[in-house]
Amino acid sequence: MKETTATTDKPAQSSNEVPEMELTDGDILDAMQHIPGYLDISTEDFRTIYHLAHHHAVGRLFGNLRAENLMRTNVLPLHPDMYLDEAAKALVRSGYKALPVVDADGAVIGILTENDFLRRLQVGTFLELLLHMLDDSFEFQHRCHETPVHKAMTAPAITVRQEAGIGEIIHAFHLHEGRSLPVVDGGGKLLGLLLRKDFLKAYDMEALR
């Protein structure tokens, strides 16, 4: 069991950075042709104005978008020595597709997802699992009852700090295909769970206009 997390390690000043589109001189000269009158600026001046406007717009639109403001709280985590059948019941009760796994100090050491169950049970889909269980339910019950969470979980988990902004959250979601990210404090302890759907709802450009 690898007891570490992979918190995105971007510097605080880049937490709200959103990648800018690179403008070529050709792009700029084409745009300038559509502005009536004489423009006494160079392509580099234009590029600087674009950069400053982008930075200002990102701050205006996303300055308050932080992981701590979007996360679900009161998440009951799993523990590494729980068996998978107990963990499955906890997942169903939670309504989430994944739950963080924490150590005795509350630090995140992994995450257990529905896909982790499928991999551990050596099936590709839940339909395939259902068919196998119809043939031999005892075998699957046995595997779940004998397998502790730490042998099936994904570790290290990709996490974000509570103060993470839009740039850091996007970066973290790009690092894995999961639907949620554990949110942690500076010591790696669990604070909540950030769902991809909650982030996308907050990132809705149409709603922000």
Side-chain angles (χ1 to χ4, degrees), residues 23-33 43 47:
L23 298 181
T24 67
D25 285 353
D27 296 329
I28 296 170
L29 291 172
D30 180 76
M32 292 170 71
Q33 287 177 358
T43 55
R47 197 174 279 111

Side-chain angles (χ1 to χ4, degrees), residues 83-89 91 112-134 136-149 151-153:
Y83 289 106
L84 286 186
D85 52 355
E86 298 175 67
K89 292 174 185 174
L91 267 171
L112 186 70
T113 70
E114 290 183 336
N115 285 336
D116 291 328
F117 275 94
L118 296 179
R119 274 193 294 272
R120 189 67 190 181
L121 297 173
Q122 300 177 346
V123 293
T125 65
F126 281 102
L127 184 58
E128 187 180 351
L129 175 62
L130 178 61
L131 292 175
H132 280 289
M133 290 191 73
L134 289 174
D136 189 357
S137 61
F138 177 79
E139 169 62 19
F140 283 92
Q141 288 177 12
H142 179 71
R143 283 195 214 172
C144 286
H145 187 65
E146 296 297 320
T147 305
V149 164
K151 288 190 175 179
M153 69 184 187

